[in-house]
Amino acid sequence: MTEQLTVRNETSVPILDALSDRWSPRGFDANHAIADEDLRAIFEAGRWAPSASNTQPTTLVAGVRGTATFDKIYGTLMEFNLAWADRASVLIAVTVEHERDGKPLRWAEYDAGQVAAHLSIEAQSRGLHTHQLGGIHVDALAEALELPAGRAPITVIAVGQHDDSDAVSEEIRARDTSPRSRRELSDFAQIER
């Protein structure tokens, strides 16, 4: 396994290393066991993410590889994610409450995105990587986790240590090393001064 020695993403201005180095590999080290301290810290980072009116509609359900919860989450992934996600150290189901006391929580999914972003950056700062998955069978995941009515999964986040060795399939390694790009800053943000 080789670690990145330079900034992975070319930014137009310097930003925090945990942001400029962040990326979403699919090649995970199947032998890496996440430390309890790291897992608690990434959850703590998510817990302190901004939340509209402090409603905190997000709940995380985590399964460490080798547990029944991991297997439940893994079993609800779409086929293209099944090819690699079993090597992650942890799979985290991100769930949201869309309504509380008969009132819609309009910003619930936005808040969940904040949670995901914060925990991803904390993971990155600890030498871990995250990969957010949209390819999930939402109803099957809700059923597998026995989520209460009114709570729905919106994504799964794989967390672990990157592996680019031959233990990872050639196809996954090729995807992980393909060039990354983003829209130009001038296309992304309109600034009037």
Side-chain angles (χ1 to χ4, degrees):
M1 182 170 61
T2 58
E3 287 300 316
Q4 299 293 327
L5 299 176
T6 60
V7 171
R8 179 166 180 85
N9 304 310
E10 186 178 324
T11 61
S12 61
V13 296
I15 60 176
L16 293 173
D17 290 347
L19 292 167
S20 62
D21 291 344
R22 193 213 61 77
W23 64 298
S24 301
R26 290 174 179 83
F28 285 102
D29 180 350
N31 296 312
H32 176 262
I34 192 164
D36 287 343
E37 177 184 335
D38 289 337
L39 191 55
R40 289 181 58 82
I42 64 175
F43 286 156
E44 188 68 10
R47 186 171 81 97
W48 284 100
S51 176
S53 299
N54 200 29
T55 54
Q56 302 176 55
T58 308
T59 298
L60 306 175
V61 180
V64 174
R65 189 180 53 247
T67 66
T69 301
F70 183 98
D71 293 342
K72 287 178 184 179
I73 296 170
Y74 178 75
T76 64
L77 303 181
M78 291 184 178
E79 186 174 342
F80 55 90
N81 289 324
L82 292 174
W84 60 269
D86 59 331
R87 297 176 59 87
S89 301
V90 181
L91 293 176
I92 303 169
V94 180
T95 76
V96 294
E97 177 184 12
H98 287 105
E99 182 179 298
R100 187 177 296 157
D101 300 327
K103 297 178 184 171
L105 298 176
R106 181 170 177 253
W107 305 106
E109 291 191 14
Y110 181 84
D111 283 4
Q114 293 271 3
V115 169
H118 279 65
L119 76 81
S120 293
I121 296 307
E122 181 64 31
Q124 184 73 36
S125 76
R126 292 172 171 272
L128 300 168
H129 291 282
T130 59
H131 189 109
Q132 297 178 39
L133 296 79
I136 60 175
H137 296 285
V138 174
D139 292 340
L141 183 55
E143 184 178 331
L145 297 178
E146 301 176 8
L147 296 180
R151 181 157 297 282
I154 59 169
T155 192
V156 168
I157 303 172
V159 183
Q161 200 165 63
H162 180 237
D163 182 2
D164 63 0
S165 74
D166 290 344
V168 175
S169 76
E170 186 176 334
E171 179 184 358
I172 297 298
R173 285 182 309 189
R175 287 188 80 169
D176 282 357
T177 58
S178 64
R180 299 188 75 223
S181 66
R182 288 291 195 262
R183 293 172 16 212
E184 292 296 324
L185 187 60
S186 59
D187 293 335
F188 175 75
Q190 297 178 10
I191 304 167
E192 183 177 337
R193 302 192 115 219

